[in-house]
């Protein structure tokens, strides 16, 4: 399967899966209201944190080391054995200390919801291994089938259970869908085996700590908003964040194709040039998505959601910029992730987390939501800068940065035009951005067509 076809398959699967969730959003917001929707988001945020801990960076280690293994099948068995052990122990600890978890989560979720969530997270973590295997072996269609099956079953479960059981029904629907995904992936699970633990744990430890620190940068603020401003104030922010994340999934097909391959393009200078150019292209695709969020998605929310959630439309453009810089930090970090110890990743995570905690303590309670979001954009820009500088220190790559700087300037102009309600300028700057991103790739083809036409003439 060609790279373009692979990305197209990933795009179809990811977009269709997310569309199912977003299509249910107007109904879920009406069934739950702002308070219960805020409680749901608290649980989802908790799930994101626990997934990081359960997975322990094993899937990242698979992408990093699978290509170096003489016996990939044995390597996959070792990764599954280790992730099964870690995730099972953490899930059992969570069940044992259930009452403590409930007391420390904002919104006082029910024990049934938390138990369902813990079981769902265990099964989801185990699925990381076969899903990673499918990506590494370029079985895009089977990967997408498993993801779409999960989304469809979860969507149907929410339709039948959420109107009557609320948040508990949504958690139950997630568990049922995860069981179906396990069945879908059954033949791709390797037999568990313990081995290579030192290599996997050393790499995974740094990745996990970095993930937890990243959660402090973007994730834990939802708990802080719920605790400081209330569940009702969290709900519009959560909706906007869902749409920003959903839009960023348009970038996932590129990432799913590129991330497993990028470490294999570092041998020669020509390969490094290709890796740098493709990384900047990924950042520019993030600019296009941010522009779409600002122009289209923010206006769409006013039509899509009940009036009590319309504040989401004001928050979404700012979160689009945040996601744009966050995406760039995952692409301009090849040098950091090429190191086996992951110390630079951990250091950047610690610096970013310290800044994020300072924002939560000093900005959010005193100045409110919007200054906090603007500060978060600055924090993401700091992360991009740190990843770039540290990565260049370890592995210098010839990134075409002027091209990326122009894209960022155009996105800034689009945001300013949006704030001043100037749709014509938004569209004009967006067209310029589209041309600027596509021109380096279209120019060689246009030149080739011109030469062919001259030769034929």
């Amino acid at each position: 399967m060609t790279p373009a076809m692979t990305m197209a398959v990933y795009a179809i699967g990811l977009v269709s899966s997310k569309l199912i969730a977003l299509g249910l959003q107007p109904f879920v917001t009406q069934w739950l209201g702002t308070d219960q929707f805020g409680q749901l988001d608290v649980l989802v945020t908790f799930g994101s944190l626990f997934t990081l801990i359960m997975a322990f960076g094993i899937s990242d280690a698979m992408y990093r080391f699978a290509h170096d293994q003489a016996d990939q099948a044995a390597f996959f068995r070792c990764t599954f054995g280790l992730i099964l052990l870690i995730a099972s122990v953490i899930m059992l600890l969570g069940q044992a200390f259930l009452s403590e978890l409930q007391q420390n989560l904002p919104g006082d979720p029910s024990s049934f919801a938390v138990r369902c969530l813990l079981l769902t997270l265990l099964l989801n973590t185990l699925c990381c291994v076969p899903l990673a295997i499918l990506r590494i072996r370029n079985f895009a269609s089977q990967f997408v089938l498993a993801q779409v099956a999960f989304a469809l079953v979860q969507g149907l479960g929410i339709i039948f259970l959420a109107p009557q059981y609320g948040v508990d029904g949504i958690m139950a629907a997630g568990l049922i869908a995860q069981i179906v995904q396990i069945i879908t992936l059954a033949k791709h699970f390797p037999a568990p085996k313990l081995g290579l633990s030192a290599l996997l744990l050393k790499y995974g430890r740094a990745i996990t700590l970095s993930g937890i620190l990243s959660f402090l940068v973007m994730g834990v603020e939802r708990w802080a908003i719920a605790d400081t401003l209330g569940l009702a104030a969290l709900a519009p922010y959560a909706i906007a964040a869902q749409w920003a994340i959903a839009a960023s999934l348009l970038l996932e097909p590129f990432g799913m194709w590129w991330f497993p391959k990028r470490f294999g393009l570092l041998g020669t200078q020509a390969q490094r040039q290709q890796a740098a150019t493709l990384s900047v292209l990924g950042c520019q695709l993030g600019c296009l998505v941010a522009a779409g969020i600002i122009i289209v998605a923010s206006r769409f929310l006013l039509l899509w959601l009940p009036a009590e959630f319309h504040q989401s439309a004001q928050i979404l453009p700012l979160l689009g910029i945040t996601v744009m810089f966050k995406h760039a930090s995952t692409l301009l970090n090849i040098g950091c992730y090429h190191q086996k110890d992951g110390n630079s990743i951990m250091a950047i995570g610690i610096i970013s987390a310290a800044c994020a905690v300072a924002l939560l303590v000093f900005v959010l309670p005193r100045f409110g939501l919007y200054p906090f979001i603007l500060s978060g954009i600055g924090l993401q820009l700091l992360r991009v800068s740190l990843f770039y500088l540290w990565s260049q220190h370890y592995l210098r790559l010839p990134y075409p940065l002027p091209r990326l700087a122009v894209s960022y300037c155009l996105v800034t102009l689009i945001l300013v035009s949006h704030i001043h309600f100037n749709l014509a300028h938004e569209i004009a700057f967006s067209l310029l951005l589209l041309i600027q991103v596509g021109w380096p790739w279209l120019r060689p083809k246009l030149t080739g067509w011109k030469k062919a036409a001259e030769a034929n003439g």
Side-chain angles (χ1 to χ4, degrees), residues 46 50 54 87-104 111 114-116 118-119:
F46 169 76
F50 245 55
M54 284 184 170
S88 299
V89 169
I90 293 174
M91 189 277 294
L92 292 173
L93 288 173
Q95 297 284 4
F97 294 94
L98 184 68
S99 60
E100 286 78 7
L101 285 176
Q102 285 180 271
Q103 293 172 7
N104 287 282
S111 59
V114 178
R115 288 190 188 278
C116 275
L118 289 171
L119 289 172

Side-chain angles (χ1 to χ4, degrees), residues 20 29 48 112 226 274 360 403 435 449:
I20 293 171
T29 51
S48 300
F112 176 84
Q274 183 182 9
L360 291 173
R403 189 185 304 175
I435 295 170
W449 293 337

Side-chain angles (χ1 to χ4, degrees), residues 320-405:
I321 302 297
T322 303
V323 167
M324 179 183 75
F325 286 130
K326 185 176 186 294
H327 175 67
S329 70
T330 68
L331 290 164
L332 303 180
N333 61 6
I334 295 178
C336 292
Y337 278 83
H338 191 252
Q339 299 297 306
K340 293 185 177 181
D341 55 22
N343 289 334
S344 59
I345 302 169
M346 191 181 306
I348 292 171
I350 292 172
I351 294 170
S352 303
C355 294
V357 170
L359 296 181
L360 291 173
V361 173
F362 298 108
V363 177
L364 181 62
R366 297 183 181 183
F367 302 102
L369 185 59
Y370 289 99
F372 173 75
I373 295 174
L374 291 171
S375 302
I377 293 174
L379 178 56
Q380 291 298 331
L381 186 57
L382 172 64
R383 279 173 56 81
V384 174
S385 303
L386 290 175
F387 268 117
Y388 170 77
L389 294 173
W390 230 306
S391 290
Q392 289 294 84
H393 171 74
Y394 287 123
L395 181 69
R396 184 164 292 277
L397 295 176
Y399 293 109
L401 291 183
R403 189 185 304 175
L404 181 58

Side-chain angles (χ1 to χ4, degrees), residues 305-328:
L305 297 174
E308 58 187 329
F309 288 89
H310 279 184
Q311 187 186 3
S312 302
Q314 301 171 11
I315 298 172
L316 182 56
L318 299 177
L319 293 186
I321 302 297
T322 303
V323 167
M324 179 183 75
F325 286 130
K326 185 176 186 294
H327 175 67

